[in-house]
Amino acid sequence: MSSSVSPLAPKSVPDMPVIAGVRLATAEAGIRYKNRTDVLLAVMDKGTSVAGVFTKSKCPSAPVEWCRAKLKGGKARALVVNSGNANAFTGKTGRGSTAMTAKIAAKAVGCSESEIFLASTGVIGEPLDATKFDGVLGRLAESAEPGDYLTAAKAIMTTDTFPKVATATVKLGKAKVTINGMAKGAGMIAPDMATMLSFIFTDAPIAPAALQALLKSGVEDTFNAVTIDGDTSTSDTLLAFATGAAAEHGAPKISRASDPRLKAFVKAFNQVLANLAEQVARDGEGARKLVEITVEGAKTKASARKIAMSIANSPLVKTAIAGEDANWGRVVMAVGKAGEPADRDKLSIAFNGIRVAKSGARDPSYDEAQVSEAMKAPEIAIKVSLGLGKGRDRVLTCDLTKEYVAINGDYRS
């Protein structure tokens, strides 16, 4: 965890309302860090629906495998998250640790182990000592209270420089429902189905299958449209929990994601996901600039996404931005290598609204001083127009600085 907060951090933190049916508590278990919280326990009321999306890595962590297996039950009573150790690439020992953690948590909460969900983040390849949860989870279950999502978000941080939370309130039927979310992530970020660790809580009465459909759809243009360094984590986990408590206040019970009564809820739900995803981009390791890349005029949306990601993951593009250099040649390179339809002589590129290249060449009105000044801004928008079709997409990333190397050069040691 960095001692200095990213200059791109949000200027304010939202007040996170209480969600009926959710209680939170944190503790210092000494997993890896000293003198800081590193364990989060979220306790949910009986009947809480759960949905999840996870990394597509072929080397997933033990907690990811655990959650995938338990997700079939559709119900959750508790979530245990630890930072400092990812419990990934830990073989039978790792699977044993997840089983032990679930057993301890189930006893503490008073539920079945199949209703316990787990997530771990931190160093890969080091065994996780689950005995450190013994006693700790019992105390947390007793002390858990509704509220303090910010403290909860701090407990799951690794190289993050600030806790990431977001909230939205919306009407479902005649009742008001709340959506709260938290996330962690700053490096090893190129999501593939989910991103890093993120947890969403709502009091809306939504059945597991409907919640799963909403989550799977919601990640595509939010978390899956963010990249820091092109590396997909072994531990990517996004879980959503719906307690259903708002049903007591008149919220209709939802069994299908296509239910028209969900329209406003879906919009708010996706806004929370998008807010958290942007905060991850703002906290990229060593980042000094938030970068938005928009590709338009592609053959398809999918093609636009691949080209945008090619630009966003290019070390040459990202270092040029760090150096405040509007090097459109590197953008051209990234477009060309993406393997998607592109016509050099139709290509146009703009930085922060200033067109620097047009029809496959430098823009006739290009002004070096004007563009150099624009590149000093903390937020950089790169727009690429292909001129081939109607496909359009947008992704977020950040610049690549010397600090990224410093952070990752000795992360394990």
Side-chain angles (χ1 to χ4, degrees):
M1 195 165 54
S2 175
S3 59
S4 59
V5 176
S6 168
L8 303 172
K11 302 303 180 186
S12 61
V13 178
D15 292 327
M16 302 292 288
V18 167
I19 289 183
V22 179
R23 296 180 294 122
L24 305 170
T26 63
E28 297 179 23
I31 302 299
R32 182 188 181 204
Y33 305 115
K34 294 181 180 180
N35 302 316
R36 57 153 287 190
T37 57
D38 57 4
V39 178
L40 161 67
L41 175 67
V43 182
M44 280 77 71
D45 284 354
K46 291 181 179 179
T48 295
S49 297
V50 61
V53 288
F54 310 93
T55 182
K56 287 182 179 177
S57 169
K58 300 302 182 183
C59 299
S61 68
V64 165
E65 291 184 322
W66 174 275
C67 288
R68 280 178 177 155
K70 305 310 174 188
L71 201 63
K72 298 173 184 177
K75 298 296 180 183
R77 287 296 314 283
L79 166 70
V80 180
V81 188
N82 75 269
S83 58
N85 187 311
N87 195 12
F89 200 64
T90 46
K92 292 182 179 179
T93 300
R95 292 190 287 275
S97 294
T98 59
M100 180 180 290
T101 305
K103 183 176 181 179
I104 295 170
K107 181 179 179 180
V109 174
C111 68
S112 166
E113 293 169 26
S114 65
E115 296 176 297
I116 303 294
F117 287 79
L118 309 172
S120 300
T121 180
V123 173
I124 294 171
E126 295 292 334
L128 173 63
D129 183 2
T131 62
K132 292 187 175 182
F133 296 122
D134 200 8
V136 172
L137 295 182
R139 293 194 300 273
L140 291 181
E142 293 176 358
S143 63
E145 296 181 352
D148 209 346
Y149 285 85
L150 192 62
T151 296
K154 288 179 180 178
I156 65 175
M157 291 165 58
T158 51
T159 58
D160 305 62
T161 70
F162 62 87
K164 302 164 184 64
V165 294
T167 186
T169 302
V170 68
K171 280 287 192 72
L172 181 57
K174 295 182 179 180
K176 181 177 73 172
V177 298
T178 301
I179 306 163
N180 283 353
M182 69 180 80
K184 69 79 51 185
M188 198 183 290
I189 294 173
D192 190 3
M193 198 56 196
T195 185
M196 301 67 62
L197 301 184
S198 186
F199 310 105
I200 311 297
F201 303 89
T202 181
D203 53 356
I206 303 177
L211 189 62
Q212 182 66 38
L214 293 181
L215 193 64
K216 185 176 181 180
S217 174
V219 299
E220 288 307 316
D221 288 330
T222 57
F223 283 131
N224 280 0
V226 171
T227 180
I228 299 302
D229 45 26
D231 288 331
T232 296
S233 172
T234 59
S235 306
D236 287 354
T237 298
L238 171 56
L239 294 169
F241 303 93
T243 68
E248 297 180 4
H249 304 287
K253 294 183 179 181
I254 304 296
S255 60
R256 296 177 297 105
S258 59
D259 192 317
R261 294 173 294 183
L262 270 181
K263 185 176 181 180
F265 179 89
V266 171
K267 183 178 180 180
F269 185 82
N270 289 345
Q271 285 176 343
V272 169
L273 297 181
N275 187 317
L276 292 172
E278 180 173 317
Q279 288 187 58
V280 169
R282 287 180 175 276
D283 203 17
E285 289 172 341
R288 292 295 178 267
K289 294 184 185 292
L290 176 70
V291 184
E292 178 187 62
I293 299 168
T294 302
V295 174
E296 63 181 19
K299 287 285 189 178
T300 63
K301 175 180 170 65
S303 180
R305 169 67 61 89
K306 289 181 179 179
I307 292 171
M309 280 294 187
S310 178
I311 299 168
N313 283 325
S314 167
L316 289 175
V317 172
K318 292 159 74 72
T319 51
I321 294 169
E324 300 182 343
D325 179 14
N327 193 332
W328 67 85
R330 293 182 177 182
V331 176
V332 173
M333 172 278 298
V335 171
K337 74 169 186 175
E340 293 297 313
D343 185 331
R344 178 198 61 202
D345 296 332
K346 292 183 178 180
L347 191 63
S348 295
I349 301 168
F351 287 85
N352 276 5
I354 302 171
R355 194 170 62 192
V356 297
K358 177 186 178 184
S359 302
R362 187 175 68 179
D363 192 287
S365 62
Y366 177 78
D367 184 328
E368 179 75 27
Q370 179 190 29
V371 178
S372 295
E373 184 63 29
M375 294 301 291
K376 294 178 181 179
E379 298 184 11
I380 303 296
I382 300 176
K383 185 175 182 180
V384 174
S385 301
L386 299 175
L388 300 178
K390 297 182 178 180
R392 184 182 188 279
D393 207 357
R394 164 189 175 272
V395 303
L396 293 175
T397 188
C398 60
D399 57 346
L400 180 59
T401 68
K402 294 177 181 178
E403 183 65 16
Y404 179 89
V405 178
I407 291 169
N408 287 284
D410 61 0
Y411 178 69
R412 181 179 176 277
S413 55

